[in-house]
Amino acid sequence: MDASNIARIQLIKSWIQACNQSHGGHCISTPETGARIVGPVWLIDVQARCLRRATPSDQYLSLSYVWGSPQDDAKIFQTTRQSITHFQQEGAFAEDDSGMPQTILDAIELTRHLDQHFLWVDRFCIVQDNKEEKAEQIRNMTQIYANAYLTIIAAGGDAKDRLSTDPRLNNNPQPQSQSHQALLDSANWNTRAWTLQEMQFSRRAVFFFEDALTWECHCDLWEEHRQSSSHTAINKLEQCLTQFSEFSSGDQRITWPDMEQYALLVARFSTRKVSKGTDTLPAFSGILTFLSGSFPGGFVYGLPAMFFDVALLWRPTKKLRRKSDHPSWSWLGWDFGDTEIDLTLWRAALDYVLESQRWRRGQYLPRFKSPYSTTVTPRLCWTLGDHITIENSGFRFRYFNQHFAPPCNAPTKLPPGWKLTQFAFQHESDARTYFTYPIPLQLENPAPSEINERYLECGRILSFKTTRAWFKIEFYCYKNPHYGFDRDIAIGNILAADGTWAGHFRSHDGNLGLSKYNFDGSEKLEFIFISEGKERDGSHLFDKSFFNKHVNRKGWLEFVNVLWIEWKGRVAERRGLGHIVKKAWEKQPKEIIPILLE
């Protein structure tokens, strides 16, 4: 074996050793007895080169890679009910097998050189035509990667390619001077939907780029071309403040629902690509399963049930393409291209966290601080299908903040575990976080099968009773006030019956429903009410001139949130999101109707 390749293996071993000695339980998975862990069913035994039934005590590496094009699926081996017997035979993963994906062969060899016994690879360690087992493993993919001893990330190609720094064959490596982040940003691997959770939830990973080798764990980042003999860390902090519960995971498991964290994950995922539209929800389901442990009520097609009314306020930043496999009211039902979804209203309206000290991967992550006061008030009852009510209970205790009026007969005693400090609320489960008001918590982890499946079983029709009104509209601009000039996104003015300005709405594409670009205000569109809100000190919704003209004496602009809908038979579809000054909405002729929204 070439000396340079031996040196690279030794480098990876030194990274593992340094991480083991310095980072403790932050980067090494040691599930506690009794913790609810859904682990691998099968593992590749790299010594015998075959599949073995996994046991809870097995220490294994995991592989993250790009499968390749859909056309490759029929050409590349995978485990099925028919082939599983073959893959359990010693030598089944032979080095000279021309049909075996090369990345996987290289990962097997690397695992062996790192003195490890088992490797988990989704293509072979999940029986692909066993629907029940496959669905369970996909839902709990985050746990599989989180509990791996190390994740091997093949960021330099797809399954048919060699690991670019294969220790057997790459005799003359030429490390590049690019940073880890620059390499990551340019990697095709980093554009795929499935790989987001694989990187996000791995406690530690070694990255194989085309001509570079890097390491990222929960607490440190090391880069081959910057590595000194002492393995000095980049971006290392003296203390990593990330907390873990007994539910072992590579990302921070906290006891309260963190919409800041979730918004970041959704934004990153929104630009990721899938080979098939039906893969969108499965590729995100591991993240949903993980976060459902701290979000009471789980998620309804990617929208948190407890904050459902606010979650409907997602906005596009570029022309969207409809995904017919998912509902139009969910962000999962649209293709956002290469521009991230706009979740400003999620982050501004869900301001229940005052301060939280959370450091991950050696970096402090500042929380979003809105320059304006933004409040959303739920008014509707939502039902999925015809019998499951969505429990939008996130604001149940908001009245404990003196800025909100309490409902009739509201309890005056704080919920269990909460206390009011001199300037904020705290819960006994997290001493590092301060809240502006108490929120419902889910302190016990439900079984994964009970979290989100109940919603999916009901179909994707959202039913509710609301008011609708028809408004004249006119074209306002293509310029998105927050994201610059983009002709793919059209913003329209909503006009009251007397022709005065009443609000804005944002289409999901460049079309405002105007016939032949008739921008003279003679067109009418149908809008339905979904929630109320108000803003002060400025606006995330309206241009400054409109905002200043409609604020009340206390400095607030009160508005209603509406959806622009179009009907397809008895079922409506979301076409855009709008905001109308409350007084203008109240004056407009309206009617109460039942809605079936798909």
Side-chain angles (χ1 to χ4, degrees):
M1 184 178 294
D2 186 87
S4 63
N5 297 317
I6 295 174
R8 277 195 160 166
I9 292 175
Q10 292 304 316
L11 176 59
I12 297 173
K13 286 184 175 181
S14 72
W15 284 341
I16 293 173
Q17 183 180 18
C19 181
N20 288 346
Q21 293 176 349
S22 303
H23 304 156
H26 283 246
C27 303
I28 305 173
S29 174
T30 54
E32 297 179 20
T33 302
R36 184 180 289 113
I37 300 295
V38 177
V41 177
W42 297 94
L43 291 169
I44 297 175
D45 183 329
V46 300
Q47 305 298 330
R49 306 187 78 88
C50 64
L51 286 180
R52 293 278 190 260
R53 275 277 183 185
T55 68
S57 61
D58 289 332
Q59 180 171 283
Y60 62 93
L61 275 64
S62 58
L63 176 66
S64 176
Y65 65 108
V66 177
W67 275 46
S69 65
Q71 293 76 16
D72 293 334
D73 285 353
K75 304 174 185 177
I76 298 180
F77 291 175
Q78 58 186 9
T79 299
T80 62
R81 294 177 188 269
Q82 182 177 359
S83 65
I84 187 140
T85 301
H86 164 73
F87 286 122
Q88 291 180 77
Q89 299 174 5
E90 288 195 16
F93 294 90
E95 291 187 73
D96 58 355
D97 192 332
S98 60
M100 189 65 63
Q102 190 62 51
T103 291
I104 296 172
L105 290 176
D106 292 348
I108 290 172
E109 189 69 10
L110 177 62
T111 302
R112 188 175 66 82
H113 280 292
L114 293 177
D115 304 320
Q116 297 298 312
H117 203 87
F118 295 109
L119 174 68
W120 186 87
V121 182
D122 56 359
R123 186 183 291 271
F124 291 101
C125 298
I126 298 176
V127 180
Q128 298 298 318
D129 57 355
N130 184 332
K131 292 184 178 180
E132 293 77 15
E133 178 183 300
K134 183 177 182 179
E136 178 76 359
Q137 293 276 282
I138 287 175
R139 281 196 301 269
N140 294 281
M141 194 76 75
T142 57
Q143 291 188 51
I144 292 173
Y145 280 93
N147 291 296
Y149 183 71
L150 173 69
T151 296
I152 301 167
I153 294 182
D158 59 29
K160 67 179 181 297
D161 299 315
R162 292 192 177 279
L163 283 179
S164 57
T165 50
D166 174 16
R168 298 168 298 160
L169 299 174
N170 193 358
N171 294 324
N172 295 296
Q174 298 293 326
Q176 299 295 303
S177 59
Q178 287 182 288
S179 69
H180 170 78
Q181 190 59 51
L183 291 165
L184 199 58
D185 290 342
S186 61
N188 178 55
W189 172 89
N190 201 37
T191 68
R192 309 305 299 172
W194 290 94
T195 62
L196 176 64
Q197 62 185 0
E198 296 166 8
M199 179 177 69
Q200 184 73 24
F201 291 89
S202 292
R203 286 181 179 247
R204 56 188 184 184
V206 58
F207 291 75
F208 291 83
F209 296 103
E210 190 170 328
D211 288 303
L213 184 69
T214 66
W215 168 284
E216 186 177 2
C217 64
H218 204 284
C219 303
D220 276 320
L221 171 64
W222 293 318
E223 302 176 350
E224 179 186 31
H225 65 276
R226 299 184 183 183
Q227 193 70 26
S228 68
S229 59
S230 60
H231 308 301
T232 301
I234 298 174
N235 294 331
K236 179 177 173 61
L237 292 173
E238 292 184 0
Q239 183 184 21
C240 181
L241 297 182
T242 305
Q243 308 162 36
F244 292 96
S245 75
E246 66 175 14
F247 190 74
S248 180
S249 171
D251 205 351
Q252 181 179 9
R253 165 57 64 90
I254 53 180
T255 56
W256 47 273
D258 190 350
M259 278 297 290
E260 175 80 4
Q261 177 196 40
Y262 186 61
L264 289 172
L265 289 171
V266 171
R268 292 170 185 168
F269 186 84
S270 65
T271 60
R272 300 285 182 123
K273 310 302 179 189
V274 292
S275 299
K276 298 177 289 185
T278 52
D279 282 350
T280 303
L281 182 56
F284 199 67
S285 63
I287 292 173
L288 296 178
T289 299
F290 170 77
L291 291 179
S292 291
S294 53
F295 277 77
F299 294 84
V300 189
Y301 286 94
L303 305 185
M306 67 184 300
F307 298 121
F308 190 78
D309 306 78
V310 175
L312 287 171
L313 304 181
W314 57 266
R315 301 185 294 185
T317 55
K318 197 172 183 179
K319 181 178 181 179
L320 304 185
R321 182 175 59 84
R322 184 77 173 87
K323 291 182 178 180
S324 59
D325 302 301
H326 300 90
S328 69
W329 45 266
S330 169
W331 59 270
L332 287 168
W334 300 86
D335 185 340
F336 289 82
D338 58 359
T339 306
E340 288 186 354
I341 185 174
D342 179 2
L343 298 176
T344 303
L345 299 181
W346 286 20
R347 304 168 85 183
L350 298 172
D351 59 348
Y352 51 86
V353 179
L354 183 64
E355 184 62 44
S356 182
Q357 297 181 31
R358 293 185 57 213
W359 290 347
R360 185 180 188 274
R361 298 195 187 279
Q363 295 179 342
Y364 173 69
L365 301 178
R367 301 189 69 84
F368 175 81
K369 298 293 184 182
S370 175
Y372 321 125
S373 296
T374 304
T375 298
V376 172
T377 301
R379 297 298 187 196
L380 301 182
C381 179
W382 310 94
T383 302
L384 196 64
D386 56 2
H387 62 285
I388 290 192
T389 300
I390 298 173
E391 299 293 339
N392 51 338
S393 60
F395 296 126
R396 183 192 309 168
F397 307 123
R398 185 165 63 176
Y399 66 89
F400 281 104
N401 185 307
Q402 61 182 349
H403 296 293
F404 297 92
C408 296
N409 302 318
T412 58
K413 186 178 180 180
L414 285 170
W418 287 93
K419 67 178 181 180
L420 178 60
T421 66
Q422 185 177 1
F423 63 93
F425 294 89
Q426 274 191 296
H427 191 267
E428 61 187 9
S429 64
D430 188 348
R432 295 193 181 105
T433 301
Y434 297 89
F435 298 85
T436 56
Y437 51 85
I439 53 174
L441 300 181
Q442 183 164 284
L443 299 180
E444 295 183 3
N445 294 313
S449 60
E450 299 173 359
I451 298 174
N452 303 314
E453 291 304 302
R454 56 183 176 176
Y455 293 122
L456 299 180
E457 292 170 358
C458 295
R460 59 191 193 187
I461 300 295
L462 188 64
S463 61
F464 53 100
K465 186 176 289 187
T466 188
T467 53
R468 74 170 171 186
W470 294 83
F471 280 86
K472 292 182 180 181
I473 59 100
E474 65 178 6
F475 173 78
Y476 176 54
C477 68
Y478 282 115
K479 181 182 179 183
N480 184 318
H482 302 290
Y483 291 88
F485 185 81
D486 189 342
R487 292 187 65 85
D488 281 341
I489 286 294
I491 297 176
N493 283 330
I494 300 173
L495 305 177
D498 61 2
T500 59
W501 180 89
H504 286 319
F505 76 104
R506 189 183 302 194
S507 169
H508 290 345
D509 54 31
N511 177 15
L512 292 176
L514 297 164
S515 301
K516 298 180 180 179
Y517 296 93
N518 176 18
F519 296 154
D520 62 4
S522 61
E523 294 282 339
K524 284 189 176 182
L525 297 182
E526 181 178 358
F527 295 94
I528 58 172
F529 172 95
I530 57 171
S531 60
E532 291 182 1
K534 59 182 181 178
E535 288 187 303
R536 187 175 62 185
D537 304 322
S539 178
H540 295 289
L541 309 176
F542 309 114
D543 281 0
K544 186 176 181 180
S545 59
F546 294 116
F547 174 83
N548 291 337
K549 187 177 180 180
H550 290 84
V551 295
N552 60 26
R553 293 181 178 179
K554 295 182 179 180
W556 290 97
L557 189 156
E558 296 180 311
F559 58 88
V560 298
N561 297 307
V562 297
L563 294 181
W564 165 30
I565 61 169
E566 288 188 343
W567 291 89
K568 294 185 175 181
R570 296 178 55 250
V571 178
E573 185 174 279
R574 171 176 172 156
R575 286 292 312 278
L577 176 69
H579 316 279
I580 301 175
V581 174
K582 187 176 180 180
K583 288 183 178 180
W585 176 261
E586 291 173 342
K587 292 179 179 179
Q588 193 76 1
K590 297 179 293 297
E591 62 177 323
I592 299 175
I593 62 167
I595 296 287
L596 297 177
L597 189 64
E598 184 178 25

